[in-house]
Amino acid sequence: MTAPTTATDVNQPSLEHAPKAGRRLSWPVLLLVIAGALALTSIVRLITGADGITNVSQMSTALQLAVPIGLAGLGGLWAERAGVVNIGLEGMMILGTWFGAWAGFQWGPWTGVLVGLIGGAIGGLLHAIVTVTFNVNHIVSGVAINILALGATRYLAPLAFVGHQGGSAKQSPPVESLGHFTVPGLSDALRELNDKGWFFVSDIAGLLGGLVTNVSWLTLIAVALVPATWWILWRTPFGLRLRSCGENPIAAESLGVNVYKYKYLAVIISGALAGLGGVFLSIVANPFYLEGQVSGRGFIGLAAMIFGNWMPGGLAIGAGLFGYTDSLNLRGGSANVHALLLLGALLLLIGAIYLVIRKKYVHAVITLVVGALVFAWYAGTNEVPNQVVAATPYVITLVVLALSAQRLRMPRANGMPYRKGQGK
């Protein structure tokens, strides 16, 4: 006699068929990998003479470009850990840029930060109502919010900004700066060390110098949100309940967790974080709102979150990687990207050797051939076209996601519809 199928069997993926997570790297191993990558980059810098790939200014720009991507990724992390896919991060960032600049030029930048947070949270609330309460497909809802946010800001901008000095139908008046800080003494010492061009040591100095030179206060808040998110979600009862809603909401409900409440809170926080990323763009990166300035960063933030395997630390590394490649557009782009072709060829060679050790010979040969082609591109040219430089962040996004896809494990109930009491 066959046992009856329960609601849990029907609506939730079984542990048998759950995707297996890849082995997590311990902190010592992760730091060793980062040090190895930095040493390899230093070798490439010495060979190519492209000192700009690790100088203080490059790293400072990379940090500034990584912050909005990281905040969008954190927003996606909060929502998806509660089981709600948030494709609407782009739209929530757009709302943050507009509301932040609108309030900022009238009442000051910190008021703009607060109002931008609220603007993004409103987008999150709308997404929660549509997906959690009405069980609309999460992707459809997110796309609709992106379109709605773009249309709403285009409608509101002429009404709010035209007639003010510096304002237009597509741009807000300038917003006062939040201010920057530089660690005195340490910043100058690291810059001097970076300028010496020594192997590895100067590259570390450039990386650290970018973290302590002309840093916005909002950057400091954004960086602090990464460990804060980890602590809240993995070290508090609140975080355990929230994550249980993304893994098995029926089991969470049976233990007394109000699944609707936690999903709502998670998606609203998600929208607020994405809105904060938008505020960064319209107050820190640029002192004004400009139509189109989000420019796909919400989607890249989502990619950074996936690359990080739905973990804050991995997300931060992904955001840093994408921010760094984006910074190549602004500082010596063609020469730096050309130097990175050599770095890519060396990484592919190392990858081929690793695959041979793992006895994956076909994959190793393919990797080696691709590496040889990249090296031939590097050796046969002196620079890369500007179009390639502009496309580099997006190409890196696709390549990194493709290479990391095998080790990913999203929350098991992510994107699945849930109704209260369905497990009874």
Side-chain angles (χ1 to χ4, degrees):
M1 189 172 177
T2 306
T5 303
T6 65
T8 304
D9 297 325
V10 173
N11 294 300
Q12 299 298 324
S14 66
L15 287 172
E16 261 180 68
H17 300 97
K20 293 181 181 178
R23 287 181 298 175
R24 267 187 210 160
L25 295 175
S26 63
W27 275 108
V29 174
L30 181 60
L31 291 174
L32 189 62
V33 169
I34 293 172
L38 195 58
L40 198 62
T41 304
S42 184
I43 292 171
V44 168
R45 175 181 61 80
L46 292 172
I47 293 173
T48 62
D51 293 332
I53 60 177
T54 57
N55 67 23
V56 172
S57 298
Q58 184 78 54
M59 294 304 178
S60 181
T61 303
L63 177 63
Q64 180 170 296
L65 292 170
V67 167
I69 293 172
L71 287 170
L74 276 180
L77 175 70
W78 275 85
E80 299 208 9
R81 277 296 175 180
V84 179
V85 176
N86 192 356
I87 296 292
L89 292 169
E90 181 85 357
M92 295 168 198
M93 287 188 78
I94 292 172
L95 292 173
T97 60
W98 192 90
F99 279 100
W102 169 71
F105 88 87
Q106 297 183 87
W107 302 300
W110 287 109
T111 303
V113 171
L114 178 60
V115 175
L117 273 169
I118 294 171
I122 290 171
L125 176 62
L126 179 59
H127 188 50
I129 291 170
V130 172
T131 56
V132 178
T133 301
F134 294 103
N135 267 335
V136 172
N137 181 277
H138 298 191
I139 305 298
V140 172
S141 173
V143 171
I145 286 173
N146 291 337
I147 296 170
L148 179 62
L150 185 60
T153 52
R154 280 182 175 174
Y155 172 76
L156 292 171
L159 300 177
F161 303 143
V162 171
H164 294 277
Q165 185 177 2
S168 70
K170 294 187 176 182
Q171 180 177 316
S172 74
V175 181
E176 185 183 343
S177 173
L178 285 170
H180 295 75
F181 73 92
T182 296
V183 179
L186 180 60
S187 174
D188 293 335
L190 289 171
R191 189 180 288 276
E192 287 178 12
L193 191 58
N194 178 242
D195 290 340
K196 292 184 181 298
W198 293 339
F199 170 71
F200 193 64
V201 175
S202 291
D203 301 285
I204 292 179
L207 176 61
L208 296 177
L211 301 178
V212 297
T213 305
N214 292 328
V215 179
S216 165
W217 292 107
L218 195 54
T219 299
L220 189 63
I221 292 171
V223 171
L225 283 171
V226 175
T229 292
W230 174 82
W231 184 80
I232 293 170
L233 292 183
W234 274 269
R235 287 294 182 269
T236 66
F238 170 83
L240 177 61
R241 296 186 190 105
L242 187 147
R243 287 186 295 113
S244 71
C245 296
E247 295 291 342
N248 194 329
I250 292 174
E253 181 190 339
S254 70
L255 295 173
V257 175
N258 186 334
V259 176
Y260 280 179
K261 181 182 81 171
Y262 280 92
K263 284 180 179 287
Y264 262 85
L265 284 172
V267 181
I268 291 170
I269 292 170
S270 171
L273 288 169
L276 186 61
V279 168
F280 188 92
L281 291 173
S282 63
I283 294 182
V284 178
N286 297 298
F288 48 79
Y289 162 82
L290 183 65
E291 185 179 304
Q293 69 190 139
V294 174
S295 190
R297 286 178 176 83
F299 298 114
I300 297 179
L302 199 62
M305 178 204 68
I306 295 170
F307 165 78
N309 207 9
W310 287 264
M311 294 292 292
L315 180 157
I317 294 172
L321 174 63
F322 300 139
Y324 176 75
T325 54
D326 201 10
S327 72
L328 297 175
N329 279 323
L330 303 179
R331 295 186 175 275
S334 181
N336 289 341
V337 172
H338 185 259
L340 291 182
L341 289 176
L342 178 58
L343 177 62
L346 291 174
L347 288 172
L348 287 166
L349 175 61
I350 293 170
I353 295 170
Y354 174 75
L355 289 169
V356 168
I357 294 172
R358 296 286 302 274
K359 298 183 178 180
K360 295 182 178 181
Y361 300 114
V362 175
H363 294 79
V365 170
I366 294 172
T367 303
L368 192 59
V369 169
V370 174
L373 291 173
V374 173
F375 179 76
W377 185 6
Y378 165 77
T381 59
N382 293 320
E383 59 181 18
V384 295
N386 290 331
Q387 294 87 341
V388 174
V389 177
T392 297
Y394 308 101
V395 173
I396 292 293
T397 301
L398 292 174
V399 170
V400 166
L401 287 179
L403 294 177
S404 63
Q406 300 301 316
R407 65 175 182 82
L408 301 179
R409 209 285 283 179
M410 71 171 68
R412 288 199 299 130
N414 196 21
M416 297 184 66
Y418 164 79
R419 286 287 185 192
K420 187 175 181 180
Q422 72 183 54
K424 296 179 180 177

